[in-house]
Amino acid sequence: MADFRFIHASDLHLGRRFAAMPEEIRPHLAEARHGAIPRLAGAARAAGAAHVLIAGDLFDTPTPSPRVLVQALNAFGAEDDLTWWVLPGNHDSLGAEALWAEVTTRAPANLRLLDTPEPVEMAPGAWLLPAPLPRKFPGYDLTDWMPAAETPDGALRIGLAHGAVRSFDEEDARASEVIPPDRAESARLDYLALGDWHGQMALGPRTRYSGTPERDGFRHEGRGACLAVTLSGPGEMPRIETIETGLYHWQDAALPLLPGQDAAQALHDALPEGRA
């Protein structure tokens, strides 16, 4: 079969208010997040991909403002040569019934809302197995249906989920929600696209967190990015490429100062070139 290519992204968090940031930069950060949609479209075209998977948390809250919602849907519709596959995450779960009813009513033809845990054909020979969150804290592993899911013989199987793959606390009440790290193998997935973690992370050759396409803090340094994934056939190892999409570069740089040192000059020297 011909190579099947797609973009894996997650955690756009459109409508985030950035309350902890200085007031004068909040609108710039919010606009950068909305700009991630056309930048993801550019990444898809550069990679020769016709599909973009959003692995949860498209919106930051279950009640984005009408302006945020309309701006997002218009941005998707403007990239009408691509198909956008949107999975509800923990910030915008299916419990936000009014939100997703509005999306269903107003969505452009190239946006597919994944609101049911059942296989859906993305393209001839390629099937998507989504795990939408029914509520913020579902209480169980949403991917546990995937191993028994039937798809045509010889078809690609692509999982799409949002959540953690391990718990750091044995007493964690959400431990039952953890996605097994070997889910790609147990469900015979050619690739498992995950969201929730805002940095990129590999969990074996077939499982990735894409990270957010536009970062908004110092926890994950650098620019936001997405993943361009190529599948050559069932059982073949995926080829995965990182594509930067972030407008802002985050860097937490130490600034050690000594007695008598010119603090202003030291700060000037530590800033990136052209930012002083």
Side-chain angles (χ1 to χ4, degrees), residues 63-108:
T63 55
S65 70
R67 181 188 64 81
V68 168
L69 177 59
V70 170
Q71 186 176 2
L73 296 180
N74 287 345
F76 287 129
E79 313 295 347
D80 59 2
D81 57 324
L82 305 173
T83 302
W84 301 82
W85 302 84
V86 175
L87 183 82
N90 62 316
H91 279 251
D92 55 5
S93 74
L94 289 172
E97 295 180 3
L99 166 62
W100 296 116
E102 187 75 5
V103 169
T104 300
T105 299
R106 306 182 65 165

mmCIF file of all heavy atoms in Angstrom, residues 63-108:
data_model
loop_
_atom_site.group_PDB
_atom_site.id
_atom_site.type_symbol
_atom_site.label_atom_id
_atom_site.label_comp_id
_atom_site.label_asym_id
_atom_site.label_seq_id
_atom_site.Cartn_x
_atom_site.Cartn_y
_atom_site.Cartn_z
ATOM 1 N N THR A 63 -16.395 25.592 28.415
ATOM 2 C CA THR A 63 -17.270 26.703 28.028
ATOM 3 C C THR A 63 -16.461 27.828 27.375
ATOM 4 O O THR A 63 -16.402 28.949 27.909
ATOM 5 C CB THR A 63 -18.026 27.251 29.252
ATOM 6 O OG1 THR A 63 -17.067 27.613 30.269
ATOM 7 C CG2 THR A 63 -18.992 26.213 29.804
ATOM 8 N N PRO A 64 -15.821 27.558 26.238
ATOM 9 C CA PRO A 64 -15.100 28.647 25.568
ATOM 10 C C PRO A 64 -16.081 29.732 25.118
ATOM 11 O O PRO A 64 -17.262 29.446 24.873
ATOM 12 C CB PRO A 64 -14.444 27.956 24.372
ATOM 13 C CG PRO A 64 -15.327 26.777 24.099
ATOM 14 C CD PRO A 64 -15.792 26.323 25.449
ATOM 15 N N SER A 65 -15.593 30.938 25.008
ATOM 16 C CA SER A 65 -16.469 32.034 24.586
ATOM 17 C C SER A 65 -16.916 31.815 23.146
ATOM 18 O O SER A 65 -16.260 31.118 22.367
ATOM 19 C CB SER A 65 -15.721 33.359 24.693
ATOM 20 O OG SER A 65 -14.706 33.436 23.699
ATOM 21 N N PRO A 66 -18.043 32.408 22.743
ATOM 22 C CA PRO A 66 -18.477 32.296 21.346
ATOM 23 C C PRO A 66 -17.402 32.761 20.369
ATOM 24 O O PRO A 66 -17.248 32.176 19.292
ATOM 25 C CB PRO A 66 -19.723 33.192 21.304
ATOM 26 C CG PRO A 66 -20.254 33.179 22.692
ATOM 27 C CD PRO A 66 -19.047 33.123 23.578
ATOM 28 N N ARG A 67 -16.658 33.807 20.734
ATOM 29 C CA ARG A 67 -15.605 34.297 19.840
ATOM 30 C C ARG A 67 -14.521 33.243 19.636
ATOM 31 O O ARG A 67 -14.063 33.010 18.507
ATOM 32 C CB ARG A 67 -14.990 35.571 20.413
ATOM 33 C CG ARG A 67 -13.886 36.170 19.519
ATOM 34 C CD ARG A 67 -13.175 37.319 20.195
ATOM 35 N NE ARG A 67 -12.473 36.890 21.385
ATOM 36 C CZ ARG A 67 -11.262 36.305 21.352
ATOM 37 N NH1 ARG A 67 -10.651 36.077 20.210
ATOM 38 N NH2 ARG A 67 -10.683 35.932 22.473
ATOM 39 N N VAL A 68 -14.099 32.585 20.721
ATOM 40 C CA VAL A 68 -13.070 31.549 20.627
ATOM 41 C C VAL A 68 -13.561 30.391 19.765
ATOM 42 O O VAL A 68 -12.832 29.876 18.899
ATOM 43 C CB VAL A 68 -12.674 31.066 22.028
ATOM 44 C CG1 VAL A 68 -11.825 29.785 21.947
ATOM 45 C CG2 VAL A 68 -11.891 32.150 22.765
ATOM 46 N N LEU A 69 -14.797 29.969 19.986
ATOM 47 C CA LEU A 69 -15.346 28.843 19.238
ATOM 48 C C LEU A 69 -15.450 29.164 17.749
ATOM 49 O O LEU A 69 -15.002 28.388 16.895
ATOM 50 C CB LEU A 69 -16.725 28.484 19.799
ATOM 51 C CG LEU A 69 -17.472 27.364 19.083
ATOM 52 C CD1 LEU A 69 -16.667 26.080 19.092
ATOM 53 C CD2 LEU A 69 -18.843 27.149 19.717
ATOM 54 N N VAL A 70 -16.010 30.325 17.414
ATOM 55 C CA VAL A 70 -16.174 30.696 16.010
ATOM 56 C C VAL A 70 -14.822 30.874 15.333
ATOM 57 O O VAL A 70 -14.615 30.440 14.189
ATOM 58 C CB VAL A 70 -17.020 31.977 15.894
ATOM 59 C CG1 VAL A 70 -16.994 32.521 14.471
ATOM 60 C CG2 VAL A 70 -18.457 31.695 16.323
ATOM 61 N N GLN A 71 -13.877 31.484 16.034
ATOM 62 C CA GLN A 71 -12.546 31.681 15.465
ATOM 63 C C GLN A 71 -11.891 30.342 15.148
ATOM 64 O O GLN A 71 -11.274 30.175 14.083
ATOM 65 C CB GLN A 71 -11.668 32.478 16.435
ATOM 66 C CG GLN A 71 -10.302 32.853 15.872
ATOM 67 C CD GLN A 71 -9.492 33.718 16.830
ATOM 68 O OE1 GLN A 71 -9.930 34.021 17.940
ATOM 69 N NE2 GLN A 71 -8.320 34.126 16.412
ATOM 70 N N ALA A 72 -12.046 29.361 16.053
ATOM 71 C CA ALA A 72 -11.456 28.046 15.824
ATOM 72 C C ALA A 72 -12.103 27.343 14.631
ATOM 73 O O ALA A 72 -11.407 26.816 13.751
ATOM 74 C CB ALA A 72 -11.585 27.194 17.081
ATOM 75 N N LEU A 73 -13.420 27.334 14.585
ATOM 76 C CA LEU A 73 -14.110 26.643 13.496
ATOM 77 C C LEU A 73 -13.813 27.303 12.152
ATOM 78 O O LEU A 73 -13.644 26.609 11.135
ATOM 79 C CB LEU A 73 -15.610 26.610 13.765
ATOM 80 C CG LEU A 73 -16.049 25.826 15.007
ATOM 81 C CD1 LEU A 73 -17.561 25.863 15.157
ATOM 82 C CD2 LEU A 73 -15.552 24.383 14.936
ATOM 83 N N ASN A 74 -13.722 28.623 12.139
ATOM 84 C CA ASN A 74 -13.367 29.313 10.896
ATOM 85 C C ASN A 74 -11.955 28.966 10.464
ATOM 86 O O ASN A 74 -11.678 28.819 9.261
ATOM 87 C CB ASN A 74 -13.514 30.825 11.072
ATOM 88 C CG ASN A 74 -14.963 31.276 11.117
ATOM 89 O OD1 ASN A 74 -15.868 30.537 10.748
ATOM 90 N ND2 ASN A 74 -15.192 32.487 11.585
ATOM 91 N N ALA A 75 -11.047 28.843 11.434
ATOM 92 C CA ALA A 75 -9.657 28.508 11.100
ATOM 93 C C ALA A 75 -9.560 27.105 10.508
ATOM 94 O O ALA A 75 -8.832 26.873 9.537
ATOM 95 C CB ALA A 75 -8.778 28.627 12.346
ATOM 96 N N PHE A 76 -10.306 26.154 11.072
ATOM 97 C CA PHE A 76 -10.311 24.804 10.503
ATOM 98 C C PHE A 76 -10.904 24.826 9.096
ATOM 99 O O PHE A 76 -10.373 24.200 8.173
ATOM 100 C CB PHE A 76 -11.125 23.859 11.389
ATOM 101 C CG PHE A 76 -10.447 23.478 12.677
ATOM 102 C CD1 PHE A 76 -11.111 23.615 13.882
ATOM 103 C CD2 PHE A 76 -9.155 22.986 12.686
ATOM 104 C CE1 PHE A 76 -10.503 23.262 15.080
ATOM 105 C CE2 PHE A 76 -8.532 22.628 13.874
ATOM 106 C CZ PHE A 76 -9.212 22.773 15.082
ATOM 107 N N GLY A 77 -12.009 25.530 8.938
ATOM 108 C CA GLY A 77 -12.666 25.569 7.638
ATOM 109 C C GLY A 77 -11.821 26.211 6.559
ATOM 110 O O GLY A 77 -11.925 25.852 5.381
ATOM 111 N N ALA A 78 -10.963 27.156 6.961
ATOM 112 C CA ALA A 78 -10.107 27.820 5.981
ATOM 113 C C ALA A 78 -9.057 26.871 5.411
ATOM 114 O O ALA A 78 -8.535 27.111 4.312
ATOM 115 C CB ALA A 78 -9.422 29.031 6.625
ATOM 116 N N GLU A 79 -8.731 25.806 6.150
ATOM 117 C CA GLU A 79 -7.743 24.818 5.689
ATOM 118 C C GLU A 79 -8.497 23.627 5.116
ATOM 119 O O GLU A 79 -8.370 22.494 5.571
ATOM 120 C CB GLU A 79 -6.843 24.401 6.859
ATOM 121 C CG GLU A 79 -6.302 25.540 7.703
ATOM 122 C CD GLU A 79 -5.342 26.461 6.953
ATOM 123 O OE1 GLU A 79 -4.899 26.093 5.841
ATOM 124 O OE2 GLU A 79 -5.034 27.547 7.482
ATOM 125 N N ASP A 80 -9.282 23.888 4.066
ATOM 126 C CA ASP A 80 -10.238 22.890 3.606
ATOM 127 C C ASP A 80 -9.642 21.779 2.757
ATOM 128 O O ASP A 80 -10.366 20.876 2.330
ATOM 129 C CB ASP A 80 -11.395 23.561 2.869
ATOM 130 C CG ASP A 80 -10.939 24.374 1.667
ATOM 131 O OD1 ASP A 80 -9.725 24.389 1.367
ATOM 132 O OD2 ASP A 80 -11.803 25.009 1.024
ATOM 133 N N ASP A 81 -8.338 21.817 2.525
ATOM 134 C CA ASP A 81 -7.693 20.694 1.845
ATOM 135 C C ASP A 81 -7.266 19.611 2.829
ATOM 136 O O ASP A 81 -6.741 18.570 2.406
ATOM 137 C CB ASP A 81 -6.475 21.177 1.049
ATOM 138 C CG ASP A 81 -5.459 21.905 1.916
ATOM 139 O OD1 ASP A 81 -5.871 22.620 2.849
ATOM 140 O OD2 ASP A 81 -4.238 21.773 1.656
ATOM 141 N N LEU A 82 -7.484 19.842 4.117
ATOM 142 C CA LEU A 82 -7.105 18.896 5.162
ATOM 143 C C LEU A 82 -8.351 18.420 5.907
ATOM 144 O O LEU A 82 -9.338 19.140 5.995
ATOM 145 C CB LEU A 82 -6.151 19.548 6.163
ATOM 146 C CG LEU A 82 -4.879 20.177 5.594
ATOM 147 C CD1 LEU A 82 -4.140 20.934 6.682
ATOM 148 C CD2 LEU A 82 -3.981 19.109 4.976
ATOM 149 N N THR A 83 -8.262 17.219 6.466
ATOM 150 C CA THR A 83 -9.301 16.718 7.362
ATOM 151 C C THR A 83 -8.765 16.758 8.785
ATOM 152 O O THR A 83 -7.679 16.251 9.061
ATOM 153 C CB THR A 83 -9.717 15.284 7.006
ATOM 154 O OG1 THR A 83 -10.192 15.249 5.647
ATOM 155 C CG2 THR A 83 -10.818 14.792 7.920
ATOM 156 N N TRP A 84 -9.542 17.386 9.680
ATOM 157 C CA TRP A 84 -9.154 17.548 11.076
ATOM 158 C C TRP A 84 -9.978 16.583 11.922
ATOM 159 O O TRP A 84 -11.206 16.610 11.897
ATOM 160 C CB TRP A 84 -9.405 18.984 11.529
ATOM 161 C CG TRP A 84 -8.651 20.003 10.727
ATOM 162 C CD1 TRP A 84 -9.003 20.515 9.512
ATOM 163 C CD2 TRP A 84 -7.414 20.627 11.069
ATOM 164 N NE1 TRP A 84 -8.067 21.415 9.083
ATOM 165 C CE2 TRP A 84 -7.075 21.512 10.022
ATOM 166 C CE3 TRP A 84 -6.560 20.537 12.172
ATOM 167 C CZ2 TRP A 84 -5.927 22.283 10.036
ATOM 168 C CZ3 TRP A 84 -5.408 21.300 12.206
ATOM 169 C CH2 TRP A 84 -5.083 22.164 11.143
ATOM 170 N N TRP A 85 -9.291 15.745 12.693
ATOM 171 C CA TRP A 85 -9.941 14.750 13.544
ATOM 172 C C TRP A 85 -9.766 15.192 14.992
ATOM 173 O O TRP A 85 -8.647 15.225 15.508
ATOM 174 C CB TRP A 85 -9.327 13.376 13.312
ATOM 175 C CG TRP A 85 -9.420 12.925 11.884
ATOM 176 C CD1 TRP A 85 -8.573 13.237 10.863
ATOM 177 C CD2 TRP A 85 -10.427 12.088 11.314
ATOM 178 N NE1 TRP A 85 -8.986 12.650 9.693
ATOM 179 C CE2 TRP A 85 -10.120 11.932 9.944
ATOM 180 C CE3 TRP A 85 -11.553 11.449 11.837
ATOM 181 C CZ2 TRP A 85 -10.905 11.162 9.090
ATOM 182 C CZ3 TRP A 85 -12.330 10.679 10.989
ATOM 183 C CH2 TRP A 85 -12.002 10.538 9.628
ATOM 184 N N VAL A 86 -10.859 15.557 15.650
ATOM 185 C CA VAL A 86 -10.807 16.200 16.965
ATOM 186 C C VAL A 86 -11.356 15.262 18.039
ATOM 187 O O VAL A 86 -12.509 14.818 17.972
ATOM 188 C CB VAL A 86 -11.591 17.516 16.958
ATOM 189 C CG1 VAL A 86 -11.640 18.123 18.359
ATOM 190 C CG2 VAL A 86 -10.957 18.505 15.981
ATOM 191 N N LEU A 87 -10.517 14.995 19.043
ATOM 192 C CA LEU A 87 -10.881 14.136 20.165
ATOM 193 C C LEU A 87 -11.120 14.986 21.413
ATOM 194 O O LEU A 87 -10.262 15.785 21.784
ATOM 195 C CB LEU A 87 -9.745 13.143 20.445
ATOM 196 C CG LEU A 87 -10.002 12.119 21.545
ATOM 197 C CD1 LEU A 87 -10.816 10.953 20.979
ATOM 198 C CD2 LEU A 87 -8.676 11.607 22.126
ATOM 199 N N PRO A 88 -12.251 14.866 22.089
ATOM 200 C CA PRO A 88 -12.441 15.556 23.368
ATOM 201 C C PRO A 88 -11.446 15.044 24.413
ATOM 202 O O PRO A 88 -11.196 13.834 24.521
ATOM 203 C CB PRO A 88 -13.877 15.202 23.756
ATOM 204 C CG PRO A 88 -14.558 14.909 22.443
ATOM 205 C CD PRO A 88 -13.500 14.220 21.627
ATOM 206 N N GLY A 89 -10.866 15.985 25.192
ATOM 207 C CA GLY A 89 -9.909 15.625 26.228
ATOM 208 C C GLY A 89 -10.481 15.863 27.612
ATOM 209 O O GLY A 89 -11.695 15.914 27.796
ATOM 210 N N ASN A 90 -9.616 16.028 28.612
ATOM 211 C CA ASN A 90 -10.129 16.231 29.967
ATOM 212 C C ASN A 90 -10.575 17.674 30.204
ATOM 213 O O ASN A 90 -11.459 17.930 31.019
ATOM 214 C CB ASN A 90 -9.087 15.805 31.010
ATOM 215 C CG ASN A 90 -7.815 16.620 30.947
ATOM 216 O OD1 ASN A 90 -7.291 16.881 29.873
ATOM 217 N ND2 ASN A 90 -7.302 17.027 32.098
ATOM 218 N N HIS A 91 -10.007 18.656 29.483
ATOM 219 C CA HIS A 91 -10.443 20.045 29.624
ATOM 220 C C HIS A 91 -11.745 20.307 28.864
ATOM 221 O O HIS A 91 -12.469 21.246 29.201
ATOM 222 C CB HIS A 91 -9.357 20.999 29.118
ATOM 223 C CG HIS A 91 -8.279 21.249 30.118
ATOM 224 N ND1 HIS A 91 -8.104 22.447 30.773
ATOM 225 C CD2 HIS A 91 -7.297 20.426 30.593
ATOM 226 C CE1 HIS A 91 -7.075 22.369 31.592
ATOM 227 N NE2 HIS A 91 -6.560 21.149 31.500
ATOM 228 N N ASP A 92 -12.008 19.538 27.828
ATOM 229 C CA ASP A 92 -13.205 19.754 26.999
ATOM 230 C C ASP A 92 -13.898 18.425 26.706
ATOM 231 O O ASP A 92 -14.181 18.094 25.567
ATOM 232 C CB ASP A 92 -12.840 20.487 25.702
ATOM 233 C CG ASP A 92 -11.750 19.771 24.897
ATOM 234 O OD1 ASP A 92 -11.339 18.650 25.286
ATOM 235 O OD2 ASP A 92 -11.308 20.320 23.881
ATOM 236 N N SER A 93 -14.173 17.673 27.773
ATOM 237 C CA SER A 93 -14.745 16.338 27.619
ATOM 238 C C SER A 93 -16.144 16.383 27.021
ATOM 239 O O SER A 93 -16.767 17.445 26.880
ATOM 240 C CB SER A 93 -14.791 15.640 28.986
ATOM 241 O OG SER A 93 -15.837 16.193 29.778
ATOM 242 N N LEU A 94 -16.656 15.202 26.715
ATOM 243 C CA LEU A 94 -18.016 15.104 26.171
ATOM 244 C C LEU A 94 -19.072 15.539 27.176
ATOM 245 O O LEU A 94 -20.226 15.762 26.811
ATOM 246 C CB LEU A 94 -18.290 13.673 25.709
ATOM 247 C CG LEU A 94 -17.546 13.229 24.444
ATOM 248 C CD1 LEU A 94 -17.743 11.740 24.213
ATOM 249 C CD2 LEU A 94 -18.014 14.032 23.236
ATOM 250 N N GLY A 95 -18.652 15.672 28.441
ATOM 251 C CA GLY A 95 -19.578 16.215 29.428
ATOM 252 C C GLY A 95 -19.983 17.642 29.119
ATOM 253 O O GLY A 95 -21.018 18.116 29.615
ATOM 254 N N ALA A 96 -19.193 18.326 28.297
ATOM 255 C CA ALA A 96 -19.538 19.681 27.844
ATOM 256 C C ALA A 96 -20.504 19.566 26.673
ATOM 257 O O ALA A 96 -20.170 19.875 25.522
ATOM 258 C CB ALA A 96 -18.271 20.430 27.445
ATOM 259 N N GLU A 97 -21.714 19.140 26.964
ATOM 260 C CA GLU A 97 -22.679 18.818 25.909
ATOM 261 C C GLU A 97 -23.011 20.029 25.045
ATOM 262 O O GLU A 97 -23.132 19.911 23.814
ATOM 263 C CB GLU A 97 -23.951 18.248 26.535
ATOM 264 C CG GLU A 97 -23.733 16.918 27.243
ATOM 265 C CD GLU A 97 -25.010 16.373 27.849
ATOM 266 O OE1 GLU A 97 -26.074 17.014 27.659
ATOM 267 O OE2 GLU A 97 -24.953 15.320 28.500
ATOM 268 N N ALA A 98 -23.141 21.201 25.667
ATOM 269 C CA ALA A 98 -23.492 22.391 24.891
ATOM 270 C C ALA A 98 -22.381 22.754 23.911
ATOM 271 O O ALA A 98 -22.644 23.159 22.767
ATOM 272 C CB ALA A 98 -23.776 23.563 25.828
ATOM 273 N N LEU A 99 -21.138 22.603 24.350
ATOM 274 C CA LEU A 99 -20.000 22.909 23.477
ATOM 275 C C LEU A 99 -20.016 22.027 22.237
ATOM 276 O O LEU A 99 -19.944 22.519 21.101
ATOM 277 C CB LEU A 99 -18.696 22.729 24.249
ATOM 278 C CG LEU A 99 -17.410 22.685 23.408
ATOM 279 C CD1 LEU A 99 -17.205 23.992 22.663
ATOM 280 C CD2 LEU A 99 -16.202 22.353 24.287
ATOM 281 N N TRP A 100 -20.094 20.728 22.442
ATOM 282 C CA TRP A 100 -19.959 19.820 21.299
ATOM 283 C C TRP A 100 -21.208 19.818 20.427
ATOM 284 O O TRP A 100 -21.131 19.547 19.218
ATOM 285 C CB TRP A 100 -19.594 18.422 21.778
ATOM 286 C CG TRP A 100 -18.247 18.418 22.434
ATOM 287 C CD1 TRP A 100 -17.961 18.141 23.738
ATOM 288 C CD2 TRP A 100 -16.998 18.775 21.834
ATOM 289 N NE1 TRP A 100 -16.618 18.292 23.987
ATOM 290 C CE2 TRP A 100 -15.999 18.677 22.823
ATOM 291 C CE3 TRP A 100 -16.624 19.169 20.551
ATOM 292 C CZ2 TRP A 100 -14.649 18.954 22.575
ATOM 293 C CZ3 TRP A 100 -15.273 19.441 20.290
ATOM 294 C CH2 TRP A 100 -14.311 19.337 21.292
ATOM 295 N N ALA A 101 -22.365 20.142 21.015
ATOM 296 C CA ALA A 101 -23.564 20.314 20.180
ATOM 297 C C ALA A 101 -23.383 21.508 19.255
ATOM 298 O O ALA A 101 -23.762 21.459 18.066
ATOM 299 C CB ALA A 101 -24.794 20.500 21.071
ATOM 300 N N GLU A 102 -22.786 22.573 19.773
ATOM 301 C CA GLU A 102 -22.526 23.753 18.946
ATOM 302 C C GLU A 102 -21.497 23.443 17.869
ATOM 303 O O GLU A 102 -21.637 23.866 16.712
ATOM 304 C CB GLU A 102 -22.042 24.903 19.832
ATOM 305 C CG GLU A 102 -21.892 26.232 19.126
ATOM 306 C CD GLU A 102 -23.210 26.911 18.835
ATOM 307 O OE1 GLU A 102 -24.262 26.393 19.262
ATOM 308 O OE2 GLU A 102 -23.199 27.970 18.168
ATOM 309 N N VAL A 103 -20.451 22.697 18.234
ATOM 310 C CA VAL A 103 -19.447 22.312 17.249
ATOM 311 C C VAL A 103 -20.085 21.475 16.146
ATOM 312 O O VAL A 103 -19.843 21.697 14.949
ATOM 313 C CB VAL A 103 -18.301 21.526 17.921
ATOM 314 C CG1 VAL A 103 -17.391 20.886 16.867
ATOM 315 C CG2 VAL A 103 -17.482 22.440 18.829
ATOM 316 N N THR A 104 -20.910 20.514 16.529
ATOM 317 C CA THR A 104 -21.562 19.654 15.543
ATOM 318 C C THR A 104 -22.430 20.470 14.587
ATOM 319 O O THR A 104 -22.461 20.212 13.381
ATOM 320 C CB THR A 104 -22.416 18.593 16.257
ATOM 321 O OG1 THR A 104 -21.577 17.792 17.096
ATOM 322 C CG2 THR A 104 -23.123 17.701 15.256
ATOM 323 N N THR A 105 -23.112 21.461 15.132
ATOM 324 C CA THR A 105 -24.004 22.282 14.317
ATOM 325 C C THR A 105 -23.248 23.188 13.357
ATOM 326 O O THR A 105 -23.638 23.371 12.204
ATOM 327 C CB THR A 105 -24.912 23.134 15.220
ATOM 328 O OG1 THR A 105 -25.701 22.275 16.038
ATOM 329 C CG2 THR A 105 -25.821 24.037 14.395
ATOM 330 N N ARG A 106 -22.112 23.744 13.831
ATOM 331 C CA ARG A 106 -21.435 24.793 13.083
ATOM 332 C C ARG A 106 -20.126 24.354 12.440
ATOM 333 O O ARG A 106 -19.496 25.154 11.736
ATOM 334 C CB ARG A 106 -21.163 25.977 14.005
ATOM 335 C CG ARG A 106 -22.396 26.493 14.706
ATOM 336 C CD ARG A 106 -22.133 27.686 15.572
ATOM 337 N NE ARG A 106 -21.729 28.838 14.781
ATOM 338 C CZ ARG A 106 -21.711 30.092 15.231
ATOM 339 N NH1 ARG A 106 -22.060 30.335 16.479
ATOM 340 N NH2 ARG A 106 -21.343 31.081 14.466
ATOM 341 N N ALA A 107 -19.711 23.118 12.643
ATOM 342 C CA ALA A 107 -18.401 22.683 12.162
ATOM 343 C C ALA A 107 -18.331 22.674 10.644
ATOM 344 O O ALA A 107 -19.302 22.332 9.967
ATOM 345 C CB ALA A 107 -18.086 21.295 12.690
ATOM 346 N N PRO A 108 -17.170 23.039 10.085
ATOM 347 C CA PRO A 108 -16.988 22.916 8.638
ATOM 348 C C PRO A 108 -16.946 21.448 8.226
ATOM 349 O O PRO A 108 -16.751 20.558 9.070
ATOM 350 C CB PRO A 108 -15.633 23.602 8.408
ATOM 351 C CG PRO A 108 -14.910 23.457 9.708
ATOM 352 C CD PRO A 108 -15.966 23.542 10.773
#
